[in-house]
Amino acid sequence: MKAFRLDELEAERAANDGAYLQFLRERNMSVGLYALDAGDLDPQKPHSQDEVYLVVSGRASLTVGFETTQVARGSVVYVPAGIAHKFHHITEDLRVVVVFSPPEG
C-alpha cells in the first residue's frame, strides 16, 4: 500500500517551486497534485493520456473542448486524451489531484 496526505504533498510541491508534483507512478496510471493560485493562467496543453481531475480546494472555471463548467471542492471531471482544456477565472487558490492513464510522460 502507498498512502499520502494532501498537506504533505502540498508542502513538497511548494518546496520544489512547481505547479505540479507527480507523487505516484505505476504501470497503468500516474497521480499528481496540480496547483494554480487565484488569478493564475493555466499553461496546459492537451495531453496524450486520459485524465481525471478531483478538485480538493479552490474555485475556477474549466473548459474542456467547447464545454465550460464551474469547479470547486469535490468536483470530479474526466478529460479525454488529446482534447484542449484549461482552468480559468480562478477565484480561489486551486488544488487538484490529477490521475493520468496511462502514466504521464
Side-chain angles (χ1 to χ4, degrees):
M1 174 188 351
K2 295 178 183 176
F4 305 91
R5 291 179 43 108
L6 285 173
D7 58 342
E8 293 171 355
L9 295 171
E10 174 60 14
E12 183 179 349
R13 184 207 57 79
N16 290 317
D17 292 326
Y20 184 73
L21 171 71
Q22 183 181 92
F23 61 88
L24 180 67
R25 183 179 180 85
E26 297 294 334
R27 185 171 51 89
N28 294 314
M29 61 179 246
S30 61
V31 184
L33 179 64
Y34 189 45
L36 294 166
D37 291 336
D40 280 356
L41 297 177
D42 184 0
Q44 290 192 81
K45 296 188 181 350
H47 306 293
S48 58
Q49 305 85 0
D50 288 338
E51 295 176 77
V52 173
Y53 290 128
L54 168 61
V55 179
V56 295
S57 65
R59 189 172 298 277
S61 296
L62 173 62
T63 298
V64 178
F66 298 105
E67 296 180 84
T68 299
T69 190
Q70 303 301 308
V71 296
R73 181 181 175 164
S75 296
V76 179
V77 180
Y78 166 68
V79 179
I83 302 297
H85 58 285
K86 290 205 183 290
F87 291 99
H88 53 94
H89 297 97
I90 303 166
T91 58
E92 296 175 15
D93 293 353
L94 193 63
R95 301 300 182 263
V96 181
V97 172
V98 185
V99 179
F100 287 98
S101 181
E104 181 190 34

